[in-house]
Amino acid sequence: MEKKLRVGVLGATGMVGQRFISLLENHPWYEVVTVAASPRSAGRTYEEAVGDRWKMATPMPEAVKQLVVMNVNEVEKVAAGVDFVFSAVDMTKDEIKAIEEAYAKTETPVVSNNSAHRWTPDVPMVVPEINPEHFDVIPFQRKRLGTDRGFIAVKPNCSIQSYAPALTAWKEFEPYEVVATTYQAISGAGKTFKEWPEMEGNIIPYIGGEEEKSEQEPLRLWGRVEDGVIVKAESPVITCQCIRVPVLNGHTAAAFVKFRKKVTKEQLIEKLVAFKGLPQELALPSAPKQFIQYLEEDNRPQVTADVDFENGMGISIGRLREDKVYDYKFVGLSHNTVRGAAGGAVLCAELLTAKGYIQAK
């Protein structure tokens, strides 16, 4: 790419916003030129606005420290200086819907980490290796919004990344019933242990709204585009429990699966390690070379050993074995703020750029 595209990050001071900032440092296609946040942060430099709340393991990139934070509500002003934006705003669902549509209507593509538009019928919710064809609804969305280049695209919930890719790899064997329990890191709530000391040595068996997302969002990924909208798949039926655990980064899932077709463990593993998609074929900058790894050891995947596989963009699967009640069971692991949040959104943006949906203004 001759000239880097100018990127804005909405909600730049929060945890996911910070992850966007860190992942986009030295990106070959994109340059962060604008950071926007709530009115209380506006007018200060990014370094001042974040203060001692920088939550990433790597230092704040020098290139963003002196950027003056803009008011995210001043849509026209923010949009004027960027080619597209990543959205990680912390607002109510209705407010997020409204502000993301407002940015799209300024002819600014919005790639969102938020859940507000995940069920808007003509908004694609995409894991690039799984359902890139859902970007085909963008022209229909543009028609509804009255835009030529503006649109909204979203990525799905962080929790499903630890098991949905495996189920996708096994699609030909027709999984039809899934039971999953997710063990979710505290960064999924935007917290560190310093901010949430009561999570140390503790689990909380409830995460608001998470079980419904974990059961329903995979069905939208596996759905089809019909008459300009996405129609969700009917199966497999998924039931899920979501538990908050004392881990900083990394969502683990224990899943049980019934298949309509007879399949061996060896066939299932073969499908996992061979599974790839458009990001791998196009060698996109953030794409993992190996999307899913299978670990043979009985005690893997582990958060400490495996969460950063492929820089946090890969999925780790282990403990695949036959089950007495279901056909097979396995354990999956994904990085919730990289693949499951900002990294997944960056990969979506790269694929949208490669397909010509995101271009310089």
Side-chain angles (χ1 to χ4, degrees):
M1 190 167 287
E2 271 178 46
K3 194 177 177 193
K4 290 188 180 185
L5 294 174
R6 302 165 302 158
V7 176
V9 179
L10 313 180
T13 57
M15 182 177 270
V16 175
Q18 291 178 26
R19 181 66 75 181
F20 275 121
I21 297 289
S22 64
L23 288 175
L24 292 167
E25 185 180 18
N26 303 317
H27 192 283
W29 295 3
Y30 307 142
E31 181 182 1
V32 176
V33 298
T34 298
V35 288
S38 65
R40 68 178 177 275
S41 295
R44 293 189 281 173
T45 66
Y46 185 69
E47 187 175 31
E48 289 167 346
V50 173
D52 62 357
R53 294 179 297 109
W54 181 253
K55 299 175 181 181
M56 301 297 105
T58 52
M60 184 184 289
E62 290 296 326
V64 299
K65 284 184 176 179
Q66 298 310 310
L67 289 179
V68 175
V69 178
M70 298 180 76
N71 180 348
V72 74
N73 298 315
E74 294 179 349
V75 175
E76 296 277 352
K77 193 174 171 185
V78 174
V82 299
D83 296 311
F84 76 101
V85 295
F86 289 110
S87 175
V89 290
D90 183 15
M91 298 176 175
T92 67
K93 193 164 279 196
D94 286 342
E95 287 170 338
I96 292 169
K97 275 187 172 181
I99 201 166
E100 289 182 350
E101 284 205 358
Y103 274 94
K105 285 175 179 176
T106 68
E107 302 294 359
T108 305
V110 178
V111 182
S112 179
N113 181 69
N114 297 305
S115 65
H117 275 292
R118 287 184 194 153
W119 290 94
T120 303
D122 60 9
V123 171
M125 180 180 79
V126 170
V127 173
E129 287 88 350
I130 292 177
N131 61 326
E133 70 280 2
H134 285 195
F135 288 141
D136 293 348
V137 299
I138 289 172
F140 297 93
Q141 185 196 145
R142 283 173 168 164
K143 194 173 177 184
R144 173 175 65 84
L145 295 175
T147 60
D148 292 321
R149 68 188 299 284
F151 65 88
I152 302 159
V154 300
K155 48 143 289 299
N157 197 44
C158 50
S159 66
I160 73 171
Q161 318 276 342
S162 50
Y163 56 91
L167 297 171
T168 307
W170 298 333
K171 199 173 179 182
E172 69 186 81
F173 305 117
E174 297 181 19
Y176 69 93
E177 193 174 299
V178 179
V179 175
T181 301
T182 59
Y183 304 89
Q184 299 187 204
I186 64 171
S187 58
K191 305 280 191 184
T192 63
F193 284 111
K194 183 180 171 187
E195 298 163 314
W196 204 0
E198 59 269 36
M199 271 308 301
E200 291 193 34
N202 190 24
I203 67 168
I204 297 175
Y206 173 74
I207 307 171
E210 204 74 2
E211 287 166 4
E212 184 186 8
K213 293 175 189 173
S214 301
E215 292 168 355
Q216 292 298 314
E217 288 188 17
L219 299 174
R220 193 166 199 256
L221 289 183
W222 300 321
R224 65 192 185 279
V225 177
E226 200 173 278
D227 298 327
V229 299
I230 294 153
V231 179
K232 75 172 186 176
E234 294 303 313
S235 71
V237 174
I238 303 172
T239 183
C240 199
Q241 290 201 100
C242 299
I243 297 172
R244 189 73 73 192
V245 295
V247 165
L248 181 60
N249 292 308
H251 287 356
T252 300
F256 300 77
V257 191
K258 284 183 180 176
F259 295 98
R260 294 199 192 281
K261 294 186 176 174
K262 281 295 249 187
V263 61
T264 66
K265 177 179 174 178
E266 290 69 31
Q267 286 175 304
L268 291 172
I269 292 172
E270 185 186 332
K271 290 295 178 185
L272 289 176
V273 297
F275 187 63
K276 63 180 181 182
L278 263 183
Q280 287 70 38
E281 289 169 28
L282 298 172
L284 298 176
S286 299
K289 286 186 173 60
Q290 182 74 36
F291 179 36
I292 305 174
Q293 68 169 342
Y294 184 76
L295 300 158
E296 297 282 356
E297 301 93 327
D298 286 339
N299 64 350
R300 304 277 288 280
Q302 289 182 27
V303 169
T304 52
D306 304 308
V307 76
D308 291 321
F309 170 60
E310 290 281 16
N311 298 313
M313 289 296 288
I315 311 298
S316 298
I317 304 291
R319 300 213 69 213
L320 178 66
R321 59 226 191 269
E322 288 191 49
D323 184 61
K324 291 185 180 73
V325 179
Y326 282 68
D327 293 326
Y328 284 91
K329 53 192 171 188
F330 69 93
V331 175
L333 171 68
S334 60
H335 197 306
N336 56 295
T337 66
V338 182
R339 168 58 78 164
V346 171
L347 189 59
C348 278
E350 290 170 1
L351 186 51
L352 286 161
T353 303
K355 282 176 158 283
Y357 287 108
I358 293 176
Q359 299 176 338
K361 281 184 179 172

